[in-house]
Amino acid sequence: MNNKNILVLRGLTFLLLLIAYAPFGALAAVIITESSAPKILLGQETYFHKDAGNTQSIDKIIDSDPPIQWQRGKKNLLSFGYTSASYWFKIEIENQTNNAIIRYLEIAYSLLDSVLVYKTQEGSKIEHYKMGANLPHLHRPVAYRNFIVPIQLDPNQKSTLYIRTKTDTSMQTPMILWDKEEFLEAGLEESIILGLFYGIMGIMICYNLFIYLVTKITSYAYYVGYVIAWNDWIQSTAVFVCVVSVMLFTNEFLELKDNSPKCSRLTQLIAALTTIVFIIGIFLTYRYAVLSLLIMLLFGSSIGFGISIYRLTKGSRPAKFFVVGWSCVLWGSSIIALSKLNII
């Protein structure tokens, strides 16, 4: 056997030894030290498992035979689109300090219908929290718009978190591990920013509503409907109001009835189709209702942008401003809709 073959054989032997002695199935833990960052994004440190039949309990998850093949998250935002399945998440946290510390686990998506959080240590359940969008806020350990769970980490100990989520909305589970003080400061800053945002939106609504009441120009009323819907557009009713308002606003603002009757009829047709889809959605599950309306949102946004470009080529002055504004609408609505559909 020549030297080249001997080297190859030694390399393969070394590789097999590494595999043999590697801790098969071991999950990487989030390490907490004195110098750890006060905010840790957990997406890529989280392992997930799909429970397609919604039948697995925490005991089955922990003592599963054969063991569950957990999949590691590849992005900071774990998103699975619209699904009827439950998802289990596993996070291991190791406190390498000599002090007991408290970290806040935030699940930053408030529309999850059911959220169960279990803390275990050495295989034994220690804490259990039950929360969800369909449950009163009194069930939450921390009063906040998202789901917050205080996690006590004992010194030089490893704790394991199991989290089960289920929802009729898009399954998104952005998870963050906060230092308590950092979370309180970030929450205060966020409250100020949200206050300014909703204050500006409120002023815009009141201003345009006032102009409509004075002038009776219907485009202002449609714009008010759009602004109100955009602030809560995740709900099916808000998506419906948003699409219909935008289509009717496009028709009025670009004066399509006088300048382009075919485009005018097209916007009215989309508004009518959206209304039909919304009415049919009342008799469907929430998931299918929102999915249908999201498709109408993408379709309507694309058509509206095409109409504005067409009117711009015809020399319409209002279309110049409309194209700029509509570009932002199309970009924003497309990004959000595709995110909820788990396409991006």
Side-chain angles (χ1 to χ4, degrees), residues 15-27:
L15 181 60
L16 290 172
L17 287 172
L18 284 178
I19 295 173
Y21 286 96
F24 180 76
L27 305 184

Side-chain angles (χ1 to χ4, degrees), residues 66-79:
I68 290 173
Q69 299 299 309
W70 295 93
Q71 301 179 61
R72 187 168 185 172
K74 297 180 180 179
K75 299 184 292 184
N76 285 326
L77 171 58
L78 298 181
S79 178

Side-chain angles (χ1 to χ4, degrees), residues 51-331:
D51 178 12
N54 301 304
T55 58
Q56 294 177 305
S57 64
I58 181 61
D59 294 322
K60 288 184 178 180
I61 291 293
I62 294 175
D63 301 322
S64 177
D65 186 18
I68 290 173
Q69 299 299 309
W70 295 93
Q71 301 179 61
R72 187 168 185 172
K74 297 180 180 179
K75 299 184 292 184
N76 285 326
L77 171 58
L78 298 181
S79 178
F80 306 96
Y82 286 84
T83 174
S84 58
S86 302
Y87 274 83
W88 284 91
F89 303 91
K90 184 177 182 179
I91 306 171
E92 293 191 346
I93 306 174
E94 184 175 349
N95 178 12
Q96 292 187 351
T97 72
N98 296 321
N99 304 307
I101 58 177
I102 294 179
R103 288 289 186 267
Y104 276 7
L105 171 68
E106 178 183 8
I107 304 171
Y109 189 60
S110 61
L111 297 178
L112 295 172
D113 292 338
S114 174
V115 178
L116 302 177
V117 179
Y118 301 88
K119 176 191 171 185
T120 67
Q121 208 163 289
E122 298 180 352
S124 300
K125 287 181 289 183
I126 298 176
E127 297 174 4
H128 171 215
Y129 298 94
K130 182 178 181 180
M131 304 168 288
N134 295 333
L135 295 175
H137 277 239
L138 294 175
H139 287 255
R140 302 187 183 188
V142 177
Y144 191 65
R145 64 187 184 88
N146 292 329
F147 305 108
I148 305 293
V149 176
I151 307 295
Q152 180 169 323
L153 303 172
D154 295 331
N156 299 303
Q157 292 287 331
K158 181 185 288 187
S159 300
T160 303
L161 304 180
Y162 292 93
I163 303 157
R164 178 189 182 271
T165 61
K166 190 178 188 313
T167 187
D168 284 334
T169 63
S170 177
M171 179 69 76
Q172 295 185 312
T173 53
M175 298 189 208
I176 306 169
L177 192 66
W178 291 92
D179 172 79
K180 183 178 178 180
E181 297 301 324
E182 183 74 13
F183 169 76
L184 295 175
E185 291 180 11
L188 178 60
E189 293 176 1
E190 184 182 57
S191 297
I192 294 173
I193 294 172
L194 287 175
L196 290 172
F197 172 76
Y198 284 111
I200 293 172
M201 292 296 104
I203 291 171
M204 290 177 62
I205 291 170
C206 293
Y207 174 75
N208 285 278
L209 183 60
F210 175 76
I211 293 181
Y212 165 68
L213 293 174
V214 172
T215 64
K216 302 301 180 184
I217 299 176
T218 54
S219 59
Y220 288 99
Y222 299 143
Y223 183 73
V224 168
Y226 164 73
V227 174
I228 293 174
W230 185 255
N231 283 288
D232 191 28
W233 82 277
I234 297 296
Q235 306 301 323
S236 60
T237 304
V239 180
F240 159 67
V241 173
C242 180
V243 177
V244 172
S245 298
V246 166
M247 288 296 100
L248 297 180
F249 176 75
T250 301
N251 191 27
E252 290 290 329
F253 187 80
L254 295 180
E255 301 173 337
L256 297 179
K257 187 175 181 180
D258 297 327
N259 299 316
S260 183
K262 291 183 178 179
C263 291
S264 176
R265 287 193 292 272
L266 181 57
T267 58
Q268 293 173 352
L269 176 62
I270 294 174
L273 286 175
T274 304
T275 303
I276 294 171
V277 169
F278 175 72
I279 293 173
I280 294 175
I282 296 174
F283 304 98
L284 302 176
T285 62
Y286 179 84
R287 180 165 45 119
Y288 290 114
V290 174
L291 274 172
S292 302
L293 288 169
L294 284 176
I295 292 171
M296 293 303 302
L297 174 65
L298 288 173
F299 178 67
S301 299
S302 302
I303 292 297
F305 185 71
I307 290 175
S308 63
I309 293 293
Y310 170 74
R311 290 299 305 149
L312 182 62
T313 60
K314 297 297 182 180
S316 171
R317 284 194 67 186
K320 296 179 181 179
F321 306 100
F322 198 80
V323 166
V324 175
W326 197 262
S327 299
C328 298
V329 172
L330 180 62
W331 175 259

